[in-house]
Amino acid sequence: SVPVSALSAGADVVVHSSHKVLTAMTQAAMLHLKGTRVRPDRISKALQVLQTSSPSYILLSSLDAARRHAINPANWLTPLAAASAARRGLVKLSGQCNNCLTLLQHGSCGSEESIEGFDPLRLVVNVQGLGLGGYAAAEWLEDKHHIVPELATAQVGIELIIKVIKPCSIVEPMLT
């Protein structure tokens, strides 16, 4: 299952990059407000400074379609299965290479009380044990396997790659 939403967890304002997790077009995002601590009129004034006076109806339509797609639980079954299969494969691979990979999983980081939710669709892997930097590992994944991580880092001691599995991801290689 997926974690509770940020709003359900108590956030007042959430910027949801719908193009990163859902099927919306690039640059499409939603702004969600909840509660009374943040006044909607102040958000509206700030948006007037930042937004164009000519919104893209193509992007707005893609947000509506992505929202409609996201509420169907069946659309999440394949991405959840693919992420689970990828997670199992990474754990197996790590065991074969003397724990050269560290996969962030539920319960593997901090105490249970310190983590509000765990996103099963987000694969976070420390590749430092491979002797590769995060950037080099991301480049290798893209060149050899056509897998493009969402993020790669190159911090000393933490060489991460992050891959998000979403409803529009090509997941067949992960399921085989």
Side-chain angles (χ1 to χ4, degrees), residues 138-154:
E139 186 176 326
W140 181 83
L141 280 171
E142 187 172 353
D143 290 346
K144 301 292 184 193
H145 299 283
H146 309 291
I147 296 172
V148 181
E150 180 179 336
L151 178 72
T153 67

Side-chain angles (χ1 to χ4, degrees), residues 88-170:
R88 285 191 306 274
L90 286 166
V91 167
K92 183 179 176 183
L93 179 61
S94 181
Q96 293 172 346
C97 65
N98 199 23
N99 296 320
C100 58
L101 302 171
T102 306
L103 178 65
L104 176 63
Q105 298 193 77
H106 191 65
S108 69
C109 180
S111 66
E112 291 293 320
E113 300 82 34
S114 70
I115 299 174
E116 180 64 35
F118 174 74
D119 186 348
L121 297 172
R122 193 169 301 268
L123 303 171
V124 180
V125 183
N126 187 341
V127 296
Q128 182 185 19
L130 290 172
L132 291 174
Y135 296 142
E139 186 176 326
W140 181 83
L141 280 171
E142 187 172 353
D143 290 346
K144 301 292 184 193
H145 299 283
H146 309 291
I147 296 172
V148 181
E150 180 179 336
L151 178 72
T153 67
Q155 299 172 354
V156 175
I158 303 176
E159 302 284 350
L160 298 177
I161 54 171
I162 300 174
K163 175 65 181 162
V164 178
I165 314 295
K166 47 194 170 184
C168 59
S169 294
I170 298 171

Side-chain angles (χ1 to χ4, degrees), residues 3 10 32 35-36 44-46 55 63 67 69 75-76 80 86 109 122 127 154-156 158 165-166 169:
H32 307 280
T36 57
S44 180
K45 285 180 184 177
L63 284 169
R67 180 198 52 78
H69 188 262
N75 291 332
W76 296 97
L80 284 165
C109 180
R122 193 169 301 268
V127 296
Q155 299 172 354
V156 175
I158 303 176
I165 314 295
K166 47 194 170 184
S169 294

